[in-house]
Short mmCIF file of all heavy atoms in Angstrom, two decimals:
data_model
loop_
_atom_site.label_atom_id
_atom_site.label_comp_id
_atom_site.label_asym_id
_atom_site.label_seq_id
_atom_site.Cartn_x
_atom_site.Cartn_y
_atom_site.Cartn_z
N THR C 382 -15.78 -51.98 117.68
CA THR C 382 -15.29 -51.12 116.59
C THR C 382 -16.23 -49.94 116.34
O THR C 382 -15.90 -49.02 115.60
CB THR C 382 -15.13 -51.93 115.28
OG1 THR C 382 -16.39 -52.54 114.96
CG2 THR C 382 -14.06 -53.01 115.42
N ASP C 383 -17.42 -49.98 116.96
CA ASP C 383 -18.39 -48.88 116.83
C ASP C 383 -18.94 -48.57 118.23
O ASP C 383 -20.12 -48.78 118.50
CB ASP C 383 -19.52 -49.33 115.87
CG ASP C 383 -20.64 -48.30 115.77
OD1 ASP C 383 -20.35 -47.10 115.89
OD2 ASP C 383 -21.82 -48.71 115.63
N PRO C 384 -18.07 -48.10 119.15
CA PRO C 384 -18.49 -47.97 120.55
C PRO C 384 -19.43 -46.80 120.77
O PRO C 384 -19.33 -45.78 120.09
CB PRO C 384 -17.16 -47.75 121.28
CG PRO C 384 -16.28 -47.10 120.27
CD PRO C 384 -16.68 -47.66 118.93
N PRO C 385 -20.37 -46.93 121.73
CA PRO C 385 -21.30 -45.83 122.02
C PRO C 385 -20.60 -44.67 122.74
O PRO C 385 -21.10 -43.55 122.75
CB PRO C 385 -22.35 -46.47 122.92
CG PRO C 385 -21.68 -47.65 123.54
CD PRO C 385 -20.66 -48.12 122.55
N VAL C 386 -19.45 -44.96 123.35
CA VAL C 386 -18.63 -43.96 124.05
C VAL C 386 -17.19 -44.21 123.65
O VAL C 386 -16.74 -45.36 123.66
CB VAL C 386 -18.79 -44.11 125.59
CG1 VAL C 386 -17.74 -43.30 126.34
CG2 VAL C 386 -20.18 -43.71 126.03
N THR C 387 -16.44 -43.17 123.28
CA THR C 387 -15.05 -43.39 122.87
C THR C 387 -14.18 -43.71 124.09
O THR C 387 -14.52 -43.36 125.22
CB THR C 387 -14.46 -42.13 122.19
OG1 THR C 387 -14.37 -41.07 123.16
CG2 THR C 387 -15.29 -41.69 121.00
N ALA C 388 -13.06 -44.36 123.82
CA ALA C 388 -12.13 -44.70 124.91
C ALA C 388 -11.60 -43.43 125.59
O ALA C 388 -11.43 -43.39 126.81
CB ALA C 388 -10.97 -45.53 124.35
N GLU C 389 -11.38 -42.39 124.79
CA GLU C 389 -10.87 -41.13 125.34
C GLU C 389 -11.88 -40.51 126.32
O GLU C 389 -11.53 -40.05 127.40
CB GLU C 389 -10.58 -40.12 124.21
CG GLU C 389 -9.38 -40.45 123.36
CD GLU C 389 -9.64 -41.57 122.33
OE1 GLU C 389 -10.82 -41.98 122.15
OE2 GLU C 389 -8.67 -42.03 121.72
N ASN C 390 -13.18 -40.53 125.93
CA ASN C 390 -14.21 -39.97 126.80
C ASN C 390 -14.42 -40.80 128.07
O ASN C 390 -14.67 -40.26 129.15
CB ASN C 390 -15.54 -39.83 126.05
CG ASN C 390 -15.60 -38.54 125.24
OD1 ASN C 390 -14.75 -37.66 125.40
ND2 ASN C 390 -16.59 -38.41 124.38
N LEU C 391 -14.31 -42.13 127.93
CA LEU C 391 -14.44 -42.98 129.12
C LEU C 391 -13.28 -42.70 130.08
O LEU C 391 -13.47 -42.61 131.29
CB LEU C 391 -14.48 -44.47 128.73
CG LEU C 391 -14.71 -45.47 129.87
CD1 LEU C 391 -15.93 -45.11 130.71
CD2 LEU C 391 -14.86 -46.89 129.32
N GLY C 392 -12.08 -42.52 129.52
CA GLY C 392 -10.92 -42.17 130.34
C GLY C 392 -11.13 -40.84 131.06
O GLY C 392 -10.81 -40.68 132.25
N ALA C 393 -11.71 -39.87 130.33
CA ALA C 393 -11.96 -38.54 130.91
C ALA C 393 -12.98 -38.64 132.06
O ALA C 393 -12.88 -37.91 133.06
CB ALA C 393 -12.48 -37.59 129.84
N LEU C 394 -13.94 -39.58 131.94
CA LEU C 394 -14.92 -39.79 133.01
C LEU C 394 -14.21 -40.30 134.27
O LEU C 394 -14.50 -39.86 135.38
CB LEU C 394 -15.99 -40.80 132.55
CG LEU C 394 -17.09 -41.15 133.57
CD1 LEU C 394 -17.96 -39.93 133.86
CD2 LEU C 394 -17.95 -42.30 133.08
N LEU C 395 -13.24 -41.22 134.08
CA LEU C 395 -12.50 -41.75 135.23
C LEU C 395 -11.68 -40.65 135.91
O LEU C 395 -11.52 -40.66 137.14
CB LEU C 395 -11.57 -42.90 134.79
CG LEU C 395 -12.21 -44.12 134.12
CD1 LEU C 395 -11.23 -45.28 134.05
CD2 LEU C 395 -13.47 -44.57 134.84
N ASP C 396 -11.19 -39.71 135.11
CA ASP C 396 -10.43 -38.58 135.68
C ASP C 396 -11.34 -37.74 136.59
O ASP C 396 -10.91 -37.26 137.64
CB ASP C 396 -9.86 -37.69 134.57
CG ASP C 396 -8.75 -38.38 133.79
OD1 ASP C 396 -8.17 -39.34 134.33
OD2 ASP C 396 -8.46 -37.96 132.64
N LEU C 397 -12.60 -37.56 136.17
CA LEU C 397 -13.54 -36.76 136.97
C LEU C 397 -13.87 -37.44 138.30
O LEU C 397 -14.12 -36.77 139.30
CB LEU C 397 -14.83 -36.51 136.19
CG LEU C 397 -14.73 -35.62 134.94
CD1 LEU C 397 -16.06 -35.53 134.23
CD2 LEU C 397 -14.24 -34.21 135.31
N ILE C 398 -13.85 -38.79 138.29
CA ILE C 398 -14.07 -39.52 139.55
C ILE C 398 -12.82 -39.39 140.42
O ILE C 398 -12.91 -39.12 141.62
CB ILE C 398 -14.38 -41.03 139.30
CG1 ILE C 398 -15.57 -41.21 138.37
CG2 ILE C 398 -14.61 -41.76 140.61
CD1 ILE C 398 -15.76 -42.63 137.84
N ALA C 399 -11.65 -39.58 139.78
CA ALA C 399 -10.38 -39.55 140.53
C ALA C 399 -10.14 -38.21 141.20
O ALA C 399 -9.65 -38.16 142.34
CB ALA C 399 -9.22 -39.90 139.59
N ASP C 400 -10.48 -37.09 140.52
CA ASP C 400 -10.23 -35.78 141.15
C ASP C 400 -11.43 -35.27 141.95
O ASP C 400 -11.51 -34.11 142.34
CB ASP C 400 -9.77 -34.74 140.11
CG ASP C 400 -10.87 -34.36 139.11
OD1 ASP C 400 -12.05 -34.69 139.37
OD2 ASP C 400 -10.54 -33.75 138.08
N LYS C 401 -12.38 -36.22 142.20
CA LYS C 401 -13.55 -35.95 143.07
C LYS C 401 -14.50 -34.86 142.53
O LYS C 401 -15.24 -34.26 143.27
CB LYS C 401 -13.11 -35.62 144.50
CG LYS C 401 -12.36 -36.78 145.15
CD LYS C 401 -12.17 -36.57 146.63
CE LYS C 401 -11.74 -37.83 147.36
NZ LYS C 401 -10.66 -38.60 146.77
N THR C 402 -14.44 -34.63 141.20
CA THR C 402 -15.42 -33.70 140.61
C THR C 402 -16.82 -34.32 140.70
O THR C 402 -17.80 -33.63 140.95
CB THR C 402 -15.07 -33.41 139.13
OG1 THR C 402 -13.76 -32.87 139.09
CG2 THR C 402 -16.04 -32.45 138.49
N ILE C 403 -16.88 -35.66 140.46
CA ILE C 403 -18.16 -36.38 140.62
C ILE C 403 -17.93 -37.64 141.43
O ILE C 403 -16.81 -38.15 141.50
CB ILE C 403 -18.81 -36.76 139.24
CG1 ILE C 403 -17.82 -37.56 138.38
CG2 ILE C 403 -19.33 -35.54 138.51
CD1 ILE C 403 -18.42 -38.09 137.09
N SER C 404 -19.01 -38.14 142.03
CA SER C 404 -18.92 -39.39 142.79
C SER C 404 -19.09 -40.58 141.84
O SER C 404 -19.52 -40.40 140.70
CB SER C 404 -20.02 -39.42 143.85
OG SER C 404 -21.28 -39.43 143.21
N GLY C 405 -18.81 -41.77 142.35
CA GLY C 405 -18.96 -42.98 141.54
C GLY C 405 -20.39 -43.19 141.08
O GLY C 405 -20.64 -43.59 139.94
N SER C 406 -21.37 -42.89 141.96
CA SER C 406 -22.78 -43.10 141.57
C SER C 406 -23.21 -42.06 140.53
O SER C 406 -23.93 -42.39 139.58
CB SER C 406 -23.69 -43.04 142.79
OG SER C 406 -23.51 -41.81 143.47
N LEU C 407 -22.73 -40.82 140.67
CA LEU C 407 -23.04 -39.80 139.65
C LEU C 407 -22.40 -40.16 138.32
O LEU C 407 -22.96 -39.88 137.26
CB LEU C 407 -22.53 -38.43 140.10
CG LEU C 407 -23.46 -37.56 140.94
CD1 LEU C 407 -22.80 -36.24 141.26
CD2 LEU C 407 -24.78 -37.30 140.21
N ALA C 408 -21.22 -40.79 138.39
CA ALA C 408 -20.50 -41.15 137.16
C ALA C 408 -21.35 -42.07 136.29
O ALA C 408 -21.33 -41.97 135.06
CB ALA C 408 -19.18 -41.83 137.50
N LYS C 409 -22.14 -42.94 136.92
CA LYS C 409 -23.00 -43.85 136.15
C LYS C 409 -24.08 -43.06 135.39
O LYS C 409 -24.40 -43.39 134.25
CB LYS C 409 -23.60 -44.91 137.06
CG LYS C 409 -22.54 -45.87 137.61
CD LYS C 409 -23.12 -46.99 138.42
CE LYS C 409 -22.06 -47.89 139.02
NZ LYS C 409 -21.27 -48.66 138.04
N GLN C 410 -24.61 -42.01 136.04
CA GLN C 410 -25.59 -41.15 135.36
C GLN C 410 -24.93 -40.41 134.19
O GLN C 410 -25.51 -40.31 133.10
CB GLN C 410 -26.14 -40.09 136.32
CG GLN C 410 -27.04 -40.62 137.42
CD GLN C 410 -27.48 -39.49 138.35
OE1 GLN C 410 -27.77 -38.38 137.90
NE2 GLN C 410 -27.51 -39.77 139.65
N VAL C 411 -23.72 -39.90 134.45
CA VAL C 411 -22.99 -39.17 133.40
C VAL C 411 -22.70 -40.11 132.22
O VAL C 411 -22.83 -39.73 131.06
CB VAL C 411 -21.68 -38.56 133.96
CG1 VAL C 411 -20.86 -37.91 132.83
CG2 VAL C 411 -21.98 -37.54 135.05
N PHE C 412 -22.33 -41.36 132.55
CA PHE C 412 -22.02 -42.34 131.50
C PHE C 412 -23.24 -42.57 130.59
O PHE C 412 -23.12 -42.58 129.36
CB PHE C 412 -21.58 -43.66 132.14
CG PHE C 412 -21.22 -44.74 131.15
CD1 PHE C 412 -20.06 -44.66 130.39
CD2 PHE C 412 -22.05 -45.84 130.96
CE1 PHE C 412 -19.73 -45.66 129.47
CE2 PHE C 412 -21.74 -46.83 130.04
CZ PHE C 412 -20.57 -46.74 129.30
N GLU C 413 -24.42 -42.73 131.21
CA GLU C 413 -25.64 -42.91 130.41
C GLU C 413 -25.91 -41.68 129.54
O GLU C 413 -26.31 -41.80 128.38
CB GLU C 413 -26.84 -43.19 131.32
CG GLU C 413 -26.80 -44.56 132.00
CD GLU C 413 -26.65 -45.73 131.04
OE1 GLU C 413 -27.27 -45.70 129.95
OE2 GLU C 413 -25.90 -46.67 131.35
N ALA C 414 -25.66 -40.49 130.11
CA ALA C 414 -25.85 -39.25 129.33
C ALA C 414 -24.85 -39.16 128.18
O ALA C 414 -25.17 -38.65 127.10
CB ALA C 414 -25.70 -38.04 130.25
N MET C 415 -23.63 -39.70 128.39
CA MET C 415 -22.62 -39.72 127.32
C MET C 415 -23.10 -40.58 126.16
O MET C 415 -22.93 -40.24 124.99
CB MET C 415 -21.29 -40.27 127.86
CG MET C 415 -20.55 -39.30 128.78
SD MET C 415 -19.32 -40.14 129.83
CE MET C 415 -18.09 -40.64 128.63
N ILE C 416 -23.74 -41.72 126.50
CA ILE C 416 -24.26 -42.62 125.46
C ILE C 416 -25.38 -41.91 124.68
O ILE C 416 -25.41 -41.96 123.45
CB ILE C 416 -24.79 -43.94 126.09
CG1 ILE C 416 -23.62 -44.74 126.67
CG2 ILE C 416 -25.55 -44.77 125.05
CD1 ILE C 416 -24.06 -45.96 127.47
N GLU C 417 -26.28 -41.25 125.41
CA GLU C 417 -27.43 -40.58 124.77
C GLU C 417 -27.01 -39.42 123.88
O GLU C 417 -27.54 -39.22 122.79
CB GLU C 417 -28.39 -40.04 125.84
CG GLU C 417 -29.26 -41.09 126.49
CD GLU C 417 -29.87 -40.58 127.79
OE1 GLU C 417 -30.13 -39.36 127.88
OE2 GLU C 417 -30.06 -41.39 128.72
N THR C 418 -26.05 -38.62 124.36
CA THR C 418 -25.73 -37.35 123.68
C THR C 418 -24.45 -37.38 122.85
O THR C 418 -24.26 -36.56 121.96
CB THR C 418 -25.58 -36.22 124.71
OG1 THR C 418 -24.44 -36.52 125.55
CG2 THR C 418 -26.81 -36.08 125.58
N GLY C 419 -23.54 -38.33 123.18
CA GLY C 419 -22.24 -38.36 122.49
C GLY C 419 -21.30 -37.27 122.99
O GLY C 419 -20.21 -37.08 122.44
N LYS C 420 -21.72 -36.54 124.04
CA LYS C 420 -20.88 -35.42 124.54
C LYS C 420 -19.81 -35.92 125.50
O LYS C 420 -19.94 -36.99 126.10
CB LYS C 420 -21.77 -34.39 125.26
CG LYS C 420 -22.68 -33.62 124.33
CD LYS C 420 -23.57 -32.66 125.11
CE LYS C 420 -24.49 -31.88 124.16
NZ LYS C 420 -25.44 -31.04 124.90
N ALA C 421 -18.78 -35.11 125.68
CA ALA C 421 -17.71 -35.42 126.63
C ALA C 421 -18.25 -35.31 128.05
O ALA C 421 -19.15 -34.51 128.32
CB ALA C 421 -16.54 -34.46 126.42
#
Side-chain angles (χ1 to χ4, degrees):
T382 56
D383 175 32
V386 168
T387 66
E389 289 77 10
N390 276 349
L391 184 52
L394 180 66
L395 301 194
D396 291 339
L397 293 176
I398 304 168
D400 68 14
K401 299 191 166 47
T402 302
I403 54 174
S404 64
S406 56
L407 271 181
K409 293 185 183 293
Q410 290 178 40
V411 175
F412 181 72
E413 290 305 320
M415 287 160 69
I416 293 172
E417 283 164 32
T418 64
K420 290 177 180 175

